[in-house]
């Protein structure tokens, strides 16, 4: 089973992530930010990952909660994938949610890049500061060694746009980490390493 438990403790947060890539989307998310919980629940469900996240915020700073959660989740993902033998590697998804239309593309490349081309007119939705959206994905890419491109194709409602981002990304990542039964012992790179 491709699974991992990661604990990260800093002067700002204490975070525990339990991840099972080959799960069914069962989740229990407690970050202290209601909207962020909802987005991570969508991520787990649409990726088909079993995911438990517990956050204890020591400084009550949402920036540190989002950043450290992404770093811990990314670290768990990287470890759970191991040598990445047999994975499809690439995934993409165009996903609608009412007015929002989002394209997400993921490469489990071993190289870090994140570009989030999303226009949000509101500074907050619920209890989530929208400036934290690209920061979540850049931190996740950094820890998991992913290349991530997310582009908003349409949308006006901030909640719908962000939710479509998380769902689209989850579906793209689900494809990328799926095992290719024809190449189960092959690292999907001509370099022989990811």
């Amino acid at each position: 089973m491709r699974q991992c438990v990661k604990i990260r403790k800093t002067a700002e947060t204490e975070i525990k992530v339990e991840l099972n890539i080959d799960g069914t989307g069962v989740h229990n998310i407690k970050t202290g930010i209601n909207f962020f919980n909802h987005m991570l629940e969508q991520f787990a469900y649409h990726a088909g990952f079993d995911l438990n996240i517990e956050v204890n915020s020591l400084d009550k700073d949402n920036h540190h909660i989002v950043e450290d959660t992404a770093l811990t989740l990314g670290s768990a993902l990287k470890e759970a994938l191991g040598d990445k033998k047999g994975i499809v590697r690439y995934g993409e998804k165009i996903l609608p949610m009412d007015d929002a239309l989002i394209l997400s593309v993921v490469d489990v490349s071993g190289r870090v890049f994140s570009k989030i081309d999303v226009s949000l007119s509101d500074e907050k939705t619920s209890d989530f500061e929208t400036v934290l959206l690209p920061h979540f994905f850049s931190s996740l890419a950094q820890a998991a060694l992913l290349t991530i491109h997310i582009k908003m194709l349409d949308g006006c409602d901030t909640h719908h746009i962000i939710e479509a981002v998380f769902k689209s990304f989850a579906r793209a990542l689900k494809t990328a980490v799926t095992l290719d039964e024809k190449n189960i012992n092959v690292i999907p790179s001509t370099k022989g390493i990811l």
Side-chain angles (χ1 to χ4, degrees):
M1 293 290 282
R2 298 181 295 168
Q3 53 191 359
C4 180
V5 176
K6 279 287 180 188
I7 296 173
R8 176 183 170 90
K9 293 184 179 181
T10 72
E12 300 157 348
T13 60
E14 295 173 347
I15 298 178
K16 181 178 181 182
V17 170
E18 299 176 26
L19 172 68
N20 178 2
I21 293 172
D22 300 309
T24 59
V26 175
H27 54 269
N28 184 21
I29 314 292
K30 296 176 183 173
T31 67
I33 306 171
N34 291 332
F35 185 80
F36 190 41
N37 291 347
H38 181 45
M39 293 305 100
L40 292 170
E41 290 164 357
Q42 295 300 320
F43 167 76
Y45 178 82
H46 287 276
F49 296 170
D50 291 348
L51 182 62
N52 294 323
I53 298 177
E54 293 179 32
V55 177
N56 179 24
S57 175
L58 303 175
D59 66 1
K60 307 305 179 195
D61 187 326
N62 286 2
H63 178 97
H64 295 144
I65 293 170
V66 171
E67 176 181 56
D68 289 351
T69 299
L71 290 171
T72 312
L73 177 58
S75 181
L77 179 62
K78 180 178 178 286
E79 186 171 316
L81 286 171
D83 62 11
K84 303 172 192 165
K85 277 186 181 175
I87 65 167
V88 171
R89 178 178 168 179
Y90 298 99
E92 71 285 326
K93 185 68 177 180
I94 297 175
L95 186 138
M97 182 171 174
D98 301 338
D99 56 288
L101 185 63
I102 303 293
L103 165 66
S104 293
V105 183
V106 180
D107 179 7
V108 185
S109 60
R111 296 182 306 279
V112 177
F113 185 79
S114 176
K115 183 172 183 182
I116 312 303
D117 185 4
V118 173
S119 177
L120 299 170
S121 58
D122 298 317
E123 291 184 8
K124 286 184 81 172
T125 183
S126 183
D127 58 346
F128 183 81
E129 298 158 77
T130 57
V131 70
L132 297 176
L133 180 69
H135 190 56
F136 171 82
F137 285 101
S138 66
S139 297
L140 184 70
Q142 175 188 338
L145 303 181
L146 302 175
T147 297
I148 300 170
H149 289 267
I150 297 175
K151 186 172 185 64
M152 185 176 96
L153 304 177
D154 206 351
C156 58
D157 183 285
T158 299
H159 184 128
H160 294 165
I161 293 166
I162 294 174
E163 188 163 342
V165 164
F166 274 87
K167 289 177 177 178
S168 175
F169 172 74
R171 294 277 174 163
L173 185 61
K174 179 179 184 176
T175 299
V177 301
T178 296
L179 293 172
D180 178 356
E181 296 299 330
K182 292 183 181 178
N183 296 291
I184 201 69
N185 292 312
V186 177
I187 293 173
S189 171
T190 56
K191 295 177 182 174
I193 188 170
L194 286 176

